[in-house]
Amino acid sequence: RKEVEQDPGPFNVPEGATVAFNCTYSNSASQSFFWYRQDCRKEPKLLMSVYSSGNEDGRFTAQLNRASQYISLLIRDSKLSDSATYLCVVNSWRWDMRFGAGTRLTVKP
Amino acid sequence: DAGVIQSPRHEVTEMGQEVTLRCKPISGHDYLFWYRQTMMRGLELLIYFNNNVPIDDSGMPEDRFSAKMPNASFSTLKIQPSEPRDSAVYFCASRRGDRGRDPQFDEQFFGPGTRLTVL
């Protein structure tokens, strides 16, 4: 089983749609969680950290479920500029940051 | 701040040649990471350093790969001899402080990557 697993997609949604991504991780001792965004042929960049209580940043909401060992990202009112690959990242004491393979999102007009 | 700097941005070489990738982390960052990204395998951690000391190199694929960090502002990843299956984008990333003490220290900043093609 991979340490961090994501649905690779692609997710093709119209502008204005709400889309959600899930990510599961195998190490129950994992400590911190993130979503990174990667545009085509660019480097990954931090989108948001994921806190235990859940957190929101504008149209983006991240949730953590430790019992089920998954994190989620919800994007509301999708914009064309949201088209990218979204990487789930998990960090623990045993191994440093481990990235999921990414979920590709395409927002269409 | 210039961010993480990598060179070269693109490298095309022939099988069997030595390849050296270079990275300059963000000043003041204690951690430096080397990643490899391919379509098939995604983003893989190869090795990381803390205060210039290699901490975990379990991701280095084989003895053909080596990494050094002679000082806080410079690191190299070397492949000798290179093979076509090494073709990938190699990213360097740096991070400020110890993970776990404060989540804000956990963000990694990536360089633009080196796109390596081995013919």
Side-chain angles (χ1 to χ4, degrees):
Chain A
R1 182 184 173 188
K2 291 183 180 178
E3 294 162 350
V4 181
E5 294 201 67
Q6 293 182 251
D7 181 346
F11 284 67
N12 298 308
V13 303
E15 266 187 298
T18 295
V19 61
F21 308 135
N22 286 330
C23 166
T24 58
Y25 59 94
S26 60
N27 185 353
S28 60
S30 298
Q31 292 194 314
S32 53
F33 309 87
F34 309 87
W35 285 100
Y36 274 67
R37 170 191 169 131
Q38 186 173 24
D39 293 299
C40 187
R41 302 180 77 85
K42 298 286 189 179
E43 71 272 23
K45 292 184 179 179
L46 180 66
L47 176 67
M48 58 196 301
S49 301
V50 186
Y51 302 126
S52 296
S53 56
N55 48 300
E56 189 174 306
D57 183 2
R59 298 182 293 107
F60 298 83
T61 301
Q63 298 267 333
L64 168 63
N65 185 320
R66 284 190 182 272
S68 301
Q69 294 182 207
Y70 78 83
I71 66 174
S72 63
L73 177 68
L74 182 77
I75 306 175
R76 291 181 300 278
D77 189 23
S78 306
K79 312 291 185 191
L80 296 176
S81 58
D82 294 334
S83 297
T85 296
Y86 291 84
L87 303 168
C88 166
V89 187
V90 176
N91 193 3
S92 79
W93 288 108
R94 185 172 66 83
W95 27 259
D96 219 273
M97 296 176 85
R98 288 295 187 258
F99 284 74
T103 298
R104 182 177 292 181
L105 171 67
T106 300
V107 181
K108 298 185 175 181
Chain B
D1 194 331
V4 177
I5 299 172
Q6 290 187 247
S7 66
R9 294 291 305 275
H10 301 272
E11 176 82 23
V12 180
T13 191
E14 293 187 345
M15 182 173 62
Q17 296 298 306
E18 178 179 295
V19 175
T20 299
L21 311 181
R22 298 173 176 81
C23 175
K24 176 178 167 53
I26 293 173
S27 177
H29 281 194
D30 299 327
Y31 286 81
L32 183 139
F33 304 82
W34 282 102
Y35 290 89
R36 177 173 68 177
Q37 188 174 39
T38 61
M39 287 292 292
M40 292 296 294
R41 301 173 68 90
L43 198 62
E44 300 174 281
L45 176 66
L46 300 177
I47 184 172
Y48 76 93
F49 296 82
N50 180 19
N51 294 323
N52 313 337
V53 176
I55 302 301
D56 185 353
D57 65 353
S58 59
M60 296 285 262
E62 48 199 272
D63 291 345
R64 298 184 297 107
F65 285 70
S66 62
K68 294 181 180 180
M69 192 165 185
N71 57 62
S73 60
F74 183 66
S75 177
T76 59
L77 178 68
K78 186 175 292 187
I79 308 172
Q80 168 62 22
S82 57
E83 297 182 2
R85 61 192 168 121
D86 301 330
S87 298
V89 180
Y90 290 81
F91 288 106
C92 175
S94 70
R95 188 179 73 199
R96 183 168 53 175
D98 244 357
R99 65 195 189 293
R101 292 187 185 178
D102 188 322
Q104 72 174 317
F105 291 151
D106 281 339
E107 178 179 0
Q108 288 191 1
F109 294 84
F110 283 77
T114 295
R115 187 171 296 273
L116 173 65
T117 302
V118 183
L119 303 175

